[in-house]
Amino acid sequence: MKARIPKNVGGGGAQNVNQMIKQAQKMQDQITELQEEIEARDFTATAGGGAVEVTLSGKKTIKELILKPEIVDPEDIEMLQDLIISAVNEAVNNIENTTEAEMGKITGGVSLPGLF
């Protein structure tokens, strides 16, 4: 006895694979575009109630560092160093969180290792 398979079942395998490849390519293009957009943005963070302000590019390079004069105390360099580190780390976290959130919109929340 032969089993009969309806014509609509199991067909279109190559078509489905081609469609998946097109979707993956579209997603890759969107990710590349988003990465370029994020790299072009500036991210600013402050520490010490605004006494230290740092601006990083989306490529995580420091573009600007602003220190309010009253924060510069030759007797307490460690505090100034800590505030700068804190502001830089916050700006880096802002970049990473923005990247993750916006990539999640493209990938539907699926983590794709190595992309971001």
Side-chain angles (χ1 to χ4, degrees):
M1 178 174 193
K2 292 184 180 181
R4 290 187 175 199
I5 300 175
K7 292 181 182 179
N8 294 338
V9 176
Q15 183 179 6
N16 288 341
V17 170
N18 286 338
Q19 184 178 1
M20 285 175 38
I21 291 171
K22 286 180 184 179
Q23 287 175 337
Q25 181 62 46
K26 181 180 177 184
M27 185 183 298
Q28 183 178 12
D29 292 344
Q30 289 174 326
I31 288 170
T32 299
E33 182 180 325
L34 178 60
Q35 286 173 328
E36 290 170 358
E37 289 175 13
I38 289 174
E39 288 177 356
R41 292 185 203 171
D42 289 341
F43 295 82
T44 301
T46 61
V52 174
E53 182 178 302
V54 66
T55 301
L56 273 65
S57 74
K59 292 182 179 182
K60 300 178 186 172
T61 58
I62 297 175
K63 292 181 74 173
E64 184 176 38
L65 176 63
I66 299 171
L67 305 174
K68 295 214 174 165
E70 61 269 15
I71 196 69
V72 181
D73 179 359
E75 302 296 320
D76 197 3
I77 295 296
E78 287 182 18
M79 181 184 67
L80 180 57
Q81 292 169 333
D82 289 344
L83 290 173
I84 292 170
I85 290 168
S86 178
V88 170
N89 287 337
E90 184 177 336
V92 169
N93 286 335
N94 289 344
I95 294 168
E96 291 174 356
N97 291 338
T98 299
T99 300
E100 186 176 322
E102 293 190 18
M103 286 291 180
K105 293 175 187 175
I106 293 172
T107 64
V110 176
S111 178
L112 302 172
L115 288 180
F116 55 95

